[in-house]
Amino acid sequence: MEVEAMDNSIESYISCLSDDCLLSIFNKLESELDRNAFGLTCKSWFKVRNVARKSLVFHFSYNPKVYKEHAQCLPKILARSPYLKVISLAGLTELPDSALHEVGASGTSLMSLSLYCCSGITDDGLTQVSFGCPNLVLVELYRCINITDLGLESLSQGCHALKSLNLGYCAAISDRGIGSIFRNCRNISALIISYCRGVSGVGFTGCPSTLSYLEAESCMISPEGMLDIVSGGGLEYLNFYNLRSSAGLDGLGRVRSLTKLRFLNLRMCRYLTDDSVVAIASACPLIEEWSLAVCHGVRLPGWTAIGLYSNKLRILHVNRCRNICDQGLQAMKDGCMCLEVLHIHGCGKITNNGLALFSIARPSVKQMVDEAMSIGPPIEDLFRL
């Protein structure tokens, strides 16, 4: 009887706790397990748990059944969680536009939205979110293949605070949509347009100096577009991996105007010539990591310029370059005094003797045979609050 009376007394005390008091207690819980247990105590505590929820993340899965369950429970979870700052719906490939109605209702609190691989979302769904969540700063639309320039225009008009935008594989967008982003989102700092074959670069006209990170893998950039891309002058990271050229010409020498550049990925840029490498090396002294893997057009003058001018270069990728020879390796041995890592293999014109001489002269440089697809800082860091 005494134990039962004590239990009733504890329940009475708990029921008297205000929501503010419960919220303060909840915020001191560090583990997700404890937070979930808190919400299962009773209905009032469950309500506090939902109000306090700041993020909703559906982890990527390859199980269609899991996706279907996530899509079904999403509206209810969103309705119960009015103050979310982060929402990630990655992998919900069949998510309809209607499911984003509740996302738009999150209002001014939402700052990060990932629709990674949500291929069912169209411009209508993105418009709902754009005007309902004006404080979005991070948006991922990777492989949202039904998003067009109209969706990007809505996003730019509703979310002026946007800083990071992933449009990788959004094949339906063009320079028109990119231009609207730059006109209306003047704080944009990171943009990914990889495999967006409809983007030539002319939409970058007037891009702000805040743009410091650009990925444009396998894009068909025109000579005029290249000028517009570098016009902002603030790029520190530039990825032109497998850059396409409609004219079959090397226009990469224009990168020389990016004096703040620190990371440059030109892997598989087969039109790249010595003239552009010399121009970039001599005008971009801050480059720390440079990938020239599979760049067969770079010959002795290019390698010599890197050795002569790239004094802050720490990591260099030359994998499978057909035209780097012992003399080119010697130029980097005599220069590049900050070099720490050299990714090198499959270079047919480099002899064992030439490689041995480099190793003896620069024993602190770590030689690696692996071929890196990406360089620089992790992309995840750009889409994290």
Side-chain angles (χ1 to χ4, degrees), residues 175-336:
D175 291 295
R176 173 186 161 190
I178 298 298
S180 67
I181 294 295
F182 287 128
R183 283 194 302 274
N184 298 310
C185 306
R186 301 301 294 176
N187 292 319
I188 192 81
S189 61
L191 178 64
I192 299 174
I193 55 171
S194 297
Y195 297 91
C196 296
R197 300 288 172 79
V199 176
S200 71
V202 295
F204 282 73
T205 302
C207 69
S209 60
T210 56
L211 184 66
S212 61
Y213 184 105
L214 174 64
E215 285 199 9
E217 293 184 8
S218 291
C219 286
M220 188 75 76
I221 304 299
S222 67
E224 298 78 13
M226 185 68 72
L227 282 173
D228 290 331
I229 285 174
V230 302
S231 64
L235 284 172
E236 297 181 21
Y237 176 101
L238 180 59
N239 181 359
F240 274 152
Y241 161 57
N242 196 28
L243 184 69
R244 306 301 181 91
S245 172
S246 57
L249 300 173
D250 172 26
L252 285 164
R254 294 179 174 88
V255 172
R256 66 182 180 273
S257 63
L258 299 174
T259 55
K260 297 180 180 180
L261 199 61
R262 295 170 53 218
F263 303 95
L264 179 58
N265 189 350
L266 300 181
R267 182 177 182 272
M268 293 182 66
C269 288
R270 294 185 172 89
Y271 295 108
L272 181 66
T273 64
D274 286 327
D275 289 342
S276 289
V277 173
V278 171
I280 295 169
S282 60
C284 304
L286 302 181
I287 294 181
E288 299 176 25
E289 184 172 5
W290 194 348
S291 178
L292 291 166
V294 205
C295 290
H296 305 315
V298 184
R299 301 172 185 272
L300 184 58
W303 304 120
T304 301
I306 292 173
L308 183 62
Y309 298 114
S310 299
N311 298 318
K312 293 194 175 182
L313 190 64
R314 296 185 302 104
I315 306 172
L316 179 63
H317 306 252
V318 300
N319 312 75
R320 293 191 289 146
C321 287
R322 293 175 186 167
N323 292 306
I324 183 172
C325 58
D326 289 351
Q327 287 176 287
L329 194 59
Q330 181 180 343
M332 288 180 286
K333 169 179 70 70
D334 296 337
C336 298

Side-chain angles (χ1 to χ4, degrees), residues 26 29 32-50 53:
F26 176 84
L29 300 177
E32 189 65 20
L33 188 64
D34 288 341
R35 289 176 174 233
N36 288 335
F38 180 99
L40 296 174
T41 304
C42 62
K43 287 185 177 180
S44 61
W45 286 37
F46 181 66
K47 178 182 176 182
V48 170
R49 166 72 177 96
N50 287 329
R53 188 195 296 270

Side-chain angles (χ1 to χ4, degrees), residues 14 82 102 115 136 154 192 245 308 334:
I14 290 176
E102 292 294 343
L115 297 176
L136 277 171
S154 296
I192 299 174
S245 172
L308 183 62
D334 296 337

Side-chain angles (χ1 to χ4, degrees), residues 349-367:
K349 291 187 177 180
I350 292 182
T351 66
N352 290 336
N353 186 50
L355 202 56
L357 289 174
F358 180 90
S359 300
I360 292 169
R362 302 291 296 273
S364 62
V365 176
K366 185 178 181 180
Q367 296 178 31

Side-chain angles (χ1 to χ4, degrees), residues 99-112:
L100 296 184
H101 175 74
E102 292 294 343
V103 174
S106 295
T108 58
S109 62
L110 191 63
M111 300 178 70
S112 174

